[in-house]
Amino acid sequence: ESAVLLGSSTRRRALSDKLKAILARLRDEVGAAVYFSRYDDGKVRIIDYADGPAAPKVNEWVDFRDAAHASAVGKCLLTQLDVNGRRDHVSRHKVARFTSKTITNERVLFTTLDNQPSTVPTLDLQEYAVGTVCAAVPISIGASVGCLAVSMPLDRAHHLRKAADTLNKRAAPVLLSLSI
């Protein structure tokens, strides 16, 4: 049994190292902080991210678990849940205003999530943090819900679409490399 646990631990470490390298390459390619996130046990989890001096990560001033309704990561993950999963999440993590652009009406939020095409990046245009824009694309394997996301300062917002398109193109290869 300890050999199985060791193998499992070794595999987890190898996958973690592989993910770090992938995120660093993506960060360098898009010129912005890049995140890999999952929705696990009813919570938004940032699994890992790559940032740097020229690609600062968003200031997490409110825990992402409580800000799913306002962040590109959270909204992208919530779009992949069914209505009951979304309702459950919102019942545990109240919809709060973080900026003047944050959606605080649950009905409007759910309609927005329902109308989000899976092939189009989910955006956060200063909904979570003033001065920051983000985009996220879904990554899912079976029942596992995840996403790749990018964040950048508002003065670089004109690069957001291109960065999101790059994430969209890279999502499948990221999935394949992590599942092998």
Side-chain angles (χ1 to χ4, degrees), residues 26 137-139 148 166-177:
L26 280 170
V137 297
I139 292 186
L148 275 176
T166 299
L167 287 187
N168 229 355
K169 289 176 193 154
R170 303 288 184 263
V174 168
L175 262 179
L176 287 173
S177 69

Side-chain angles (χ1 to χ4, degrees), residues 116-132:
Q116 174 68 39
S118 61
T119 56
V120 176
T122 304
L123 301 178
D124 159 8
L125 305 175
Q126 300 188 86
E127 294 171 61
Y128 173 74
V130 173
T132 303

